């Protein structure tokens, strides 16, 4: 199932790109070449270009990120640094013994980005998808 593995890898990299674009420090905005590569990837996803083309652009972006010193590149397995310096995020919903029943996800289900909603779901301002410039969707994961 090479196709399934490739899609999962691409979806993970796209999710990491979306998360990094939404980060307040915007690390991908520092370099003009990186901004151009990111714009090409985002445009390709928005326009529905063939996934082979987007995969190539993600490969180019990841290589450029590594060359310019972004050691995590787009590898979602590396995680995003969180407070305390750990590169791994805790699994949402395990603290306090209460199950998390809702998560925020890609609004168009094009990547694997998942976040715990901030605050009460009814009042929480959702994070935004940086690719489609839409709020992340709320997904009920109640068993």
């Amino acid at each position: 199932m090479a196709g399934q593995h490739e899609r999962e890898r691409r979806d993970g990299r796209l999710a990491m790109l979306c998360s990094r674009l939404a980060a307040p420090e915007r690390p991908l905005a520092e370099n003009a070449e990186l901004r151009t590569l990111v714009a090409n990837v985002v445009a390709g996803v928005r326009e529905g270009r063939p996934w082979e083309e987007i995969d190539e652009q993600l490969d180019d972006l990841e290589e450029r990120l590594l060359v310019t010193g972004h050691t995590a590149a787009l590898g979602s397995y590396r995680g995003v640094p969180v407070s305390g310096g750990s590169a791994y995020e805790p699994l949402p919903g395990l603290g306090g013994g209460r199950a998390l029943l809702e998560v925020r996800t890609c609004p168009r289900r094009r990547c694997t980005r998942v976040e715990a909603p901030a605050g009460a779901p009814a009042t929480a301002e959702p994070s935004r998808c940086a690719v489609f410039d839409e709020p992340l969707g709320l997904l009920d994961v109640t068993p």
Side-chain angles (χ1 to χ4, degrees), residues 40 84 89 100 114 132:
N40 288 338
E89 296 182 55
L100 182 66
V114 176
F132 292 106

Side-chain angles (χ1 to χ4, degrees), residues 57-116:
Q57 292 172 341
L58 284 169
D59 290 342
D60 291 344
L61 177 59
E62 187 152 33
E63 183 177 321
R64 221 36 237 152
L65 283 167
L66 291 169
V67 166
T68 57
H70 295 274
T71 56
L74 295 176
S76 60
Y77 57 89
R78 292 180 175 116
V80 176
V82 293
S83 59
S86 172
Y88 298 97
E89 296 182 55
L91 185 60
L94 292 183
R98 297 184 62 180
L100 182 66
L101 301 177
E102 295 177 327
V103 293
R104 298 236 180 244
T105 63
C106 178
R108 299 197 189 181
R109 308 222 191 274
R110 297 297 293 264
C111 77
T112 58
R113 182 173 176 188
V114 176
E115 290 184 1

